Amino acid sequence: MASHNVSRMNEDSTVNPGPITVLRTQLEQRAGEFSMVLPAHISADKFQRTILTAVQTNQDLLKCDRRSLLTACMKAAQDGLLPDGREAAIVPFNTSMKLAGKWEKVKLAQYMPMVFGLRKKILQSEEVVDIFAAVVFKQELEGENPRFVYREGTEHKLFHAPILDFDFKPKDDDIVLAYSVATFANGFKSFEVMRRYEIDEVRESSQTGAQFDAKGEPRDAKGPWVDWFGEMAKKTVIRRHSKSLPQSSDVLADVEAEDMAFAGRAALALLDKAKTEPMPNLAEDGTFADETIDEPEPKPEPKPKAEPKPKAEPPAPEPEPDPAGPSHVDASDNDPPEAEPPADDDVDELGVTVTDEERKADQFVSRAKACETIIDFRKLEREAEMDLAEMPVHLSSVVDTVFEQTRKRLTPRKRADAE
């Protein structure tokens, strides 16, 4: 009896694989794409094991749109960061999307690099030897001799003497700015300073930390922006600073330029393929109702030969129109009017609806490819920062991929490489 029950359980697990098994199979099918973009020190097997561990830790990821989850994994692989909660994280968010003409709430997986991961990428470039971030409180700016001094111009200067008194216990509302300092191997120091209003603008683009909704009404914020505002402020300024600093993805020694371009094309092809995959629905038994493991398609059966069609008779001549006008109403007048396209979208020449987000993403991609200097590209990155934070994951992934290729194209190579 016991052996019969065990065999029956094995048969059930084979017929109805669990969601973890389905995800493992999908990751194995994409191992080749992961290998093309992962750095040499991270194998595809290790990367897949880290993803499965993250999913088992946070079961809500299994309820996310599978396209967004795989896209988030691809973005982590492109950055060379493990989604282990330290270097990077994959976080589920409730997002409103238009499905079949109706707005519905769906769960999307969002890739989020952590401060440790950003610092790791920067230090792996071997051009930056140290980078750190800190916050400044308004009490440190008061008095005749402020404890924080920052000067811009031909000679940059940044000085900060934090208050270390035991009785000094500031609050999050006392934070007025955040800054980061990067030290290059040649001794040059690079600064990035963000004022409080700039940090708050980034916070308002967050789906959980925003204090106001799209209509400007107050809402209950939650998440790390509420619990750890100071740490999120440091992460924000380091993330902005990292866009102007060399990173490991810019100076990979064992990957040639054509390999990087091929990896970028593979990522874009994966994203295009993911658009056609159906969104899985989680059934009551914990399995995905509409998701199956890829199996070889059966060969189509030969179709019988069609019988020859009789020759069509020539059409009868149409009656001439009455100059006085029709005396009755045609049947075509009773046909329902054609559906008008949505007001906030456009329709291209093929009749496909193009959303505002898709139009913005296409503009950013075109402008990035047209950039000729790194200064123009950095301005474009700052301009696109807020829009990318509000875009769907599959669109922001495509823009980030093109931005990464443009940054590598415009970043000057080392003198040793040139020789």
Side-chain angles (χ1 to χ4, degrees):
M1 180 65 67
S3 60
H4 176 70
N5 293 336
V6 172
S7 61
R8 184 176 181 180
M9 291 175 60
N10 292 335
E11 291 177 359
D12 293 341
S13 61
T14 303
V15 176
N16 297 319
I20 296 293
T21 305
V22 174
L23 177 60
R24 182 184 292 109
T25 303
Q26 292 177 333
L27 293 177
E28 291 175 353
Q29 293 172 349
R30 290 162 173 80
E33 286 84 353
F34 290 144
S35 299
M36 286 187 292
V37 297
L38 283 170
H41 65 278
I42 300 179
S43 64
D45 292 338
K46 180 179 180 180
F47 184 75
Q48 294 174 36
R49 289 195 303 268
T50 306
I51 296 174
L52 293 175
T53 302
V55 171
Q56 291 173 348
T57 304
N58 188 354
Q59 295 288 331
D60 286 343
L61 290 174
L62 291 174
K63 302 177 183 179
C64 292
D65 176 20
R66 189 52 53 90
R67 296 168 299 178
S68 66
L69 179 58
L70 296 175
T71 301
C73 295
M74 177 57 69
K75 292 187 67 176
Q78 289 175 329
D79 282 348
L81 301 180
L82 295 174
D84 54 0
R86 188 184 183 194
E87 296 183 5
I90 299 178
V91 184
F93 286 103
N94 292 322
T95 307
S96 296
M97 293 185 64
K98 185 180 289 186
L99 301 175
K102 297 181 180 180
W103 287 97
E104 297 182 7
K105 288 283 187 179
V106 296
K107 279 187 176 295
L108 295 181
Q110 177 69 47
Y111 161 70
M112 297 179 62
M114 311 300 287
V115 175
F116 182 85
L118 294 175
R119 191 173 186 272
K120 173 185 174 182
K121 287 190 62 180
I122 294 172
L123 295 181
Q124 282 181 344
S125 69
E126 298 182 357
E127 296 186 19
V128 178
V129 296
D130 183 49
I131 183 172
F132 70 92
V135 296
V136 179
F137 303 98
K138 64 181 180 181
Q139 292 86 346
E140 296 174 342
L141 298 179
E142 298 175 350
E144 298 180 356
N145 297 318
R147 292 175 169 268
F148 178 81
V149 178
Y150 177 66
R151 298 286 185 271
E152 293 184 353
T154 56
E155 294 183 2
H156 293 274
K157 179 181 179 181
L158 191 148
F159 170 79
H160 185 204
I163 298 177
L164 303 179
D165 295 347
F166 180 77
D167 297 332
F168 181 61
K169 297 180 180 180
K171 300 180 180 179
D172 292 342
D173 293 338
D174 296 330
I175 297 177
V176 293
L177 56 89
Y179 69 91
S180 66
V181 180
T183 304
F184 285 73
N186 59 3
F188 174 78
K189 295 185 181 297
S190 174
F191 309 135
E192 184 74 30
V193 178
M194 292 184 66
R195 299 171 180 84
R196 177 59 183 262
Y197 81 90
E198 295 177 298
I199 299 174
D200 289 339
E201 287 179 352
V202 177
R203 174 181 180 174
E204 289 303 316
S205 65
S206 171
Q207 299 186 31
T208 58
Q211 297 176 310
F212 301 93
D213 57 16
K215 299 180 180 179
E217 299 294 334
R219 61 186 295 269
D220 294 332
K222 58 183 178 179
W225 277 107
V226 177
D227 300 333
W228 308 99
F229 180 83
E231 295 301 318
M232 293 299 293
K234 295 178 185 179
K235 173 187 174 181
T236 301
V237 70
I238 285 185
R239 181 170 186 137
R240 174 171 291 187
H241 197 182
S242 66
K243 295 180 179 181
S244 60
L245 295 175
Q247 300 183 22
S248 57
S249 59
D250 298 332
V251 290
L252 289 177
D254 55 344
V255 179
E256 299 295 336
E258 58 183 19
D259 295 332
M260 290 293 294
F262 180 76
R265 291 194 299 270
L268 293 175
L270 176 63
L271 296 177
D272 293 338
K273 177 183 177 182
K275 294 179 183 179
T276 62
E277 297 180 358
M279 184 169 61
N281 295 325
L282 193 67
E284 296 180 358
D285 58 354
T287 61
F288 291 103
D290 60 347
E291 187 171 13
T292 58
I293 303 175
D294 294 342
E295 297 180 356
E297 298 181 358
K299 295 183 179 179
E301 298 180 358
K303 297 182 180 179
K305 295 183 179 180
E307 297 180 358
K309 297 182 179 180
K311 296 183 179 181
E313 297 181 358
E318 298 181 357
E320 297 182 358
D322 188 359
S327 58
H328 64 281
V329 179
D330 294 336
S332 60
D333 295 340
N334 297 327
D335 293 339
E338 296 182 359
E340 297 182 357
D344 55 345
D345 299 333
D346 291 336
V347 179
D348 60 9
E349 63 276 5
L350 299 179
V352 179
T353 303
V354 181
T355 63
D356 291 338
E357 290 80 3
E358 292 174 339
R359 190 184 309 106
K360 288 182 180 179
D362 183 64
Q363 292 176 356
F364 287 138
V365 169
S366 301
R367 293 175 60 185
K369 293 180 179 180
C371 287
E372 298 181 356
T373 63
I374 190 65
I375 297 178
D376 294 338
F377 177 65
R378 290 173 182 170
K379 292 180 180 179
L380 176 61
E381 281 189 313
R382 291 179 183 272
E383 180 182 345
E385 183 177 3
M386 300 298 296
D387 290 329
L388 292 179
E390 299 175 356
M391 280 186 185
V393 180
H394 66 278
L395 292 179
S396 62
S397 300
V398 175
V399 179
D400 288 341
T401 301
V402 177
F403 275 20
E404 188 73 17
Q405 297 173 355
T406 304
R407 186 184 303 107
K408 183 178 182 298
R409 173 173 59 85
L410 298 178
T411 301
R413 296 184 178 180
K414 293 183 179 179
R415 181 176 300 176
D417 296 338
E419 296 175 355

